[in-house]
């Protein structure tokens, strides 16, 4: 499976993504989480995965060396400590390595637009990760700005979990069979032609909602859909996760007047 998890900054994307990754750790022989901002280290602190930082030395590893590391550490977080150009090369090398190991592999790519940007050509291993499941490799692509993500990644995912988007340009990237207005939290009133399965349980055909407490997201709504035609409205407050999530909402600035 190739899955896209997308929602605007502050919608709780990385929290929801961590719950998916935690829930699927035992479903794959190998799991590699490519962590852009070191937000998923709670999985390591809980002892579910091994944490590994990638600095200049690790960035020079070849695909065969990464394959050995993945085989020796079946559940692995790879945290970025290099510049973006080096990180793209690391991700490409790990994507290549994932196809070299025996068994099923799940690769999670955080801030996916940094390694698969809308502008420029994709490195071949990243393109293969986005387009094929050959070799038992599945992927989860996590992003907050769809307009910055390569079209290949968006179009080739066969399952999607989509939250709220504040930008028209992000919503324009959505290729869904229901009104995209449901992903605009500023939409007022009822949304016409919204399928019944995507209605809010009490408020009916309204836009996705989010709730915060003390500046922290405590509930966000999402729409899950897949290529088999299944659709469902989901509520993140129903998540039960063992590991701590270390991402969070941005700190607000005080106003001097």
């Amino acid at each position: 499976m190739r899955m896209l998890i997308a929602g605007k900054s502050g919608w709780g994307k990385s929290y929801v993504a961590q719950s998916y990754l935690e829930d699927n750790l035992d479903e794959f022989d190998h799991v590699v989480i490519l962590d852009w901002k070191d937000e998923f280290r709670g999985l390591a602190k809980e002892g579910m995965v091994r944490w590994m930082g990638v600095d200049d030395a690790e960035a020079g590893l070849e695909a065969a060396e990464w394959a050995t590391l993945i085989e020796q550490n079946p559940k692995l977080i790879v945290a970025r400590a290099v510049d973006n150009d080096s990180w793209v090369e690391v991700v490409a090398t790990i994507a290549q390595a994932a196809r070299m190991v025996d068994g099923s592999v799940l690769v999670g790519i955080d801030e996916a637009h940094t390694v698969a940007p809308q502008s420029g050509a994709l490195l071949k291993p990243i393109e293969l990760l986005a387009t094929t499941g050959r070799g038992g490799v599945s992927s989860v692509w996590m992003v907050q700005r769809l307009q910055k993500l390569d079209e290949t990644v968006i179009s080739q995912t066969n399952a999607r979990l989509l939250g709220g988007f504040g930008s028209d340009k992000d919503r324009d990237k959505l290729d869904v069979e229901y009104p995209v207005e449901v992903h605009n939290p500023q939409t007022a009133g009822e949304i016409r032609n919204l399928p019944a399965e995507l209605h809010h349980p009490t408020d009916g055909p309204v836009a996705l909602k989010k709730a915060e407490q003390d500046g922290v997201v405590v509930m966000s709504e999402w729409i899950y859909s897949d290529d088999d035609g299944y659709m469902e409205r989901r509520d993140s407050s129903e998540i039960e996760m063992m590991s701590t999530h270390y991402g969070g909402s941005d700190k607000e600035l005080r106003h001097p007047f």
Side-chain angles (χ1 to χ4, degrees):
M1 173 177 280
R2 299 173 303 282
M3 183 172 185
L4 174 67
I5 299 179
K8 73 173 187 174
S9 177
W11 200 260
K13 167 185 60 67
S14 56
Y15 175 79
V16 169
Q18 182 167 321
S19 73
Y20 264 88
L21 294 169
E22 178 183 299
D23 205 47
N24 282 279
L25 285 175
D26 294 333
E27 301 299 316
F28 291 82
D29 299 315
H30 308 279
V31 176
V32 184
I33 302 169
L34 302 169
D35 195 347
W36 170 256
K37 292 185 293 189
D38 200 19
E39 291 187 308
F40 301 113
R41 63 187 181 278
L43 293 167
K45 289 182 177 293
E46 196 66 33
M48 298 177 175
V49 301
R50 181 195 168 190
W51 184 94
M52 177 182 177
V54 170
D55 212 326
D56 292 338
E58 293 80 11
L61 295 176
E62 301 289 338
E65 295 173 297
W66 276 111
T68 298
L69 277 170
I70 294 170
E71 289 172 344
Q72 293 174 343
N73 304 276
K75 316 299 180 186
L76 183 65
I77 286 180
V78 178
R80 181 185 67 92
V82 292
D83 61 62
N84 191 67
D85 288 342
S86 299
W87 181 245
V88 173
E89 294 288 344
V90 169
V91 171
T93 305
I94 292 176
Q96 182 180 354
R99 308 173 83 80
M100 299 168 62
V101 302
D102 293 329
S104 58
V105 184
L106 175 64
V107 180
I109 308 98
D110 188 33
E111 301 297 344
H113 66 281
T114 63
V115 299
Q118 179 64 43
S119 59
L122 289 181
L123 295 181
K124 193 63 177 180
I126 295 176
E127 181 182 0
L128 287 173
L129 185 64
T131 57
T132 68
R134 184 174 60 84
V137 180
S138 297
S139 54
V140 177
W141 302 80
M142 301 163 266
V143 69
Q144 58 181 285
R145 297 305 306 274
L146 280 175
Q147 64 168 311
K148 294 184 177 182
L149 184 62
D150 186 88
E151 296 281 0
T152 302
V153 177
I154 298 174
S155 64
Q156 292 299 311
T157 52
N158 47 26
R160 294 150 295 277
L161 188 72
L162 304 172
F165 297 95
S167 166
D168 289 338
K169 292 181 178 179
D170 288 327
R171 289 191 294 274
D172 287 344
K173 292 290 183 181
L174 298 176
D175 183 15
V176 292
E177 297 180 358
Y178 54 82
V180 297
E181 289 81 8
V182 72
H183 293 287
N184 181 2
Q186 301 303 317
T187 300
E190 295 188 348
I191 299 172
R192 295 182 61 187
N193 302 319
L194 188 67
E197 57 264 49
L198 302 185
H199 289 195
H200 185 275
T202 57
D203 297 336
V206 297
L208 298 181
K209 300 181 178 184
K210 182 184 77 167
E212 295 186 4
Q213 184 174 328
D214 298 325
V216 177
V217 176
V218 294
M219 184 281 291
S220 57
E221 290 187 320
W222 302 77
I223 290 178
Y224 174 85
S225 63
D226 59 34
D227 286 354
D228 293 330
Y230 181 79
M231 294 187 296
E232 181 182 44
R233 187 171 180 138
R234 295 183 176 178
D235 180 345
S236 70
S237 65
E238 299 175 1
I239 290 174
E240 295 182 2
M241 187 163 54
M242 293 179 59
S243 59
T244 301
H245 179 63
Y246 287 93
S249 301
D250 294 335
K251 185 175 177 61
E252 293 186 2
L253 296 177
R254 293 179 61 185
H255 298 286
F257 56 90

